[in-house]
Amino acid sequence: MNTWTDIKAKGAPEWTSLFAHIEQVALIAELIARERSLDVNIVRIGALLHDIGKVHPEFQKRLNKERSDNPFSFRHEIASCFFLSLFEKQIHPFLIDMIIAHHKSIYRDMRGYGLLDLEMTYGEEDVLKYHLSDWENWSPKALDILSAVGITVGSISREEAEKSFYDVLDYCNEVVKKRGYSEYRGVLLAADHFASALGDKTQEQAKRLF
C-alpha cells in the first residue's frame, strides 16, 4: 500500500501530486537534454530529485496553509539534497546545480532564502536541524516515490543525510566565488516552469514542441 498518495507538489487550485509533477518535469527535462546533447540520465535524476523535499511535513503543512511555529522559511530544495547519497559521487555537482537553486539564488537571494543566506542568518546547524526534522518518518515516503519513478533506492541514515547537507554547503561556498553558469540548472528551470504551467497537459504539449 502506497503511503504517499496524498503528498502534493502544488497547492490550490491544481493540487498536483508530487509523483505526477516530478514525472512531468523529468519528461520535459529529458527532451531538452537531448536537444542540448547533455547527459540524459543525469538530467532525469535531477528532475526526479529536485522537489522530493516537498514530502517533508513542514512543506505539506504550509501548502495547506496550516500555521507553522518556525520563524524562518522551509526550503524544500535543501531537503531534496538529503538524498544525494543514492547516487554516484561524480554526478553530485550536476545534481546540486539542478536542485539547490531552482527557485532561489544560493547567495544574496532577494528575500534572503538562499542556502548561504540562511546559513549566515541562522547558522548551518539550525538550518540543518530544521530541514532534517522528523527524518525517520518522512524520508521513507520520499524513497517510496523515488522508487516508483524508477530510482534504485536504499535506506538513508540521518548521518548520511547530514553529510550530504554539508557536502552541498561546501560546494555552494566554492561555486559562489566563480563566474559562469550551469546548463543543467537551466534545463531544470525550463522543465519545471513548463510542467508547472501545463500540469496534466505536459505530455500532450511536449509532442507538439519536440
Side-chain angles (χ1 to χ4, degrees):
M1 178 180 177
N2 293 334
T3 60
W4 44 264
T5 52
D6 59 339
I7 295 173
K8 305 299 182 184
K10 307 290 180 183
E14 297 91 351
W15 292 112
T16 306
S17 74
L18 180 57
F19 176 82
H21 176 64
I22 61 175
E23 282 208 312
Q24 290 159 2
V25 174
L27 168 68
I28 299 301
E30 288 180 66
L31 292 171
I32 298 173
R34 290 191 179 94
E35 293 287 331
R36 300 296 304 166
S37 299
L38 299 177
D39 189 305
V40 175
N41 183 56
I42 291 175
V43 166
R44 177 171 176 77
I45 291 170
L48 294 174
L49 199 60
H50 84 287
D51 269 358
I52 202 66
K54 288 183 175 181
V55 177
H56 196 295
E58 185 67 20
F59 181 86
Q60 294 297 308
K61 183 191 299 183
R62 295 190 181 208
L63 201 65
N64 285 293
K65 301 190 183 304
E66 296 176 32
R67 185 179 178 84
S68 174
D69 297 326
N70 201 287
F72 66 94
S73 177
F74 176 83
R75 299 308 318 163
H76 66 272
E77 308 96 315
I78 296 174
S80 294
C81 288
F82 293 148
F83 298 86
L84 283 173
S85 62
L86 293 173
F87 310 101
E88 300 89 346
K89 188 82 172 176
Q90 61 265 30
I91 70 170
H92 286 191
F94 301 104
L95 300 180
I96 296 169
D97 285 344
M98 294 179 73
I99 296 166
I100 199 61
H102 74 268
H103 285 300
K104 307 293 181 184
S105 300
I106 59 173
Y107 179 57
R108 292 184 178 176
D109 174 68
M110 184 180 297
R111 298 178 65 189
Y113 288 161
L115 173 59
L116 300 184
D117 299 322
L118 292 175
E119 178 204 11
M120 288 186 290
T121 302
Y122 300 101
E124 60 189 45
E125 290 185 7
D126 282 350
V127 173
L128 172 61
K129 181 180 178 181
Y130 177 42
H131 288 84
L132 201 55
S133 61
D134 207 24
W135 171 253
E136 287 74 16
N137 288 322
W138 70 269
S139 62
K141 298 177 184 179
L143 291 169
D144 282 349
I145 294 176
L146 291 175
S147 178
V149 294
I151 299 292
T152 300
V153 302
S155 62
I156 301 174
S157 68
R158 179 175 287 264
E159 291 72 25
E160 288 172 315
E162 287 179 0
K163 185 180 185 308
S164 292
F165 172 81
Y166 285 113
D167 286 347
V168 171
L169 200 56
D170 289 344
Y171 177 82
C172 289
N173 274 308
E174 285 301 314
V175 79
V176 79
K177 302 172 186 175
K178 304 173 183 177
R179 288 184 174 272
Y181 65 93
S182 167
E183 276 196 280
Y184 285 85
R185 178 178 181 246
V187 169
L188 192 281
L189 288 170
D192 196 20
H193 284 295
F194 189 105
S196 294
L198 293 172
D200 59 7
K201 296 180 181 178
T202 296
Q203 188 169 7
E204 172 189 341
Q205 293 300 317
K207 291 177 182 177
R208 296 178 59 187
L209 290 176
F210 296 91

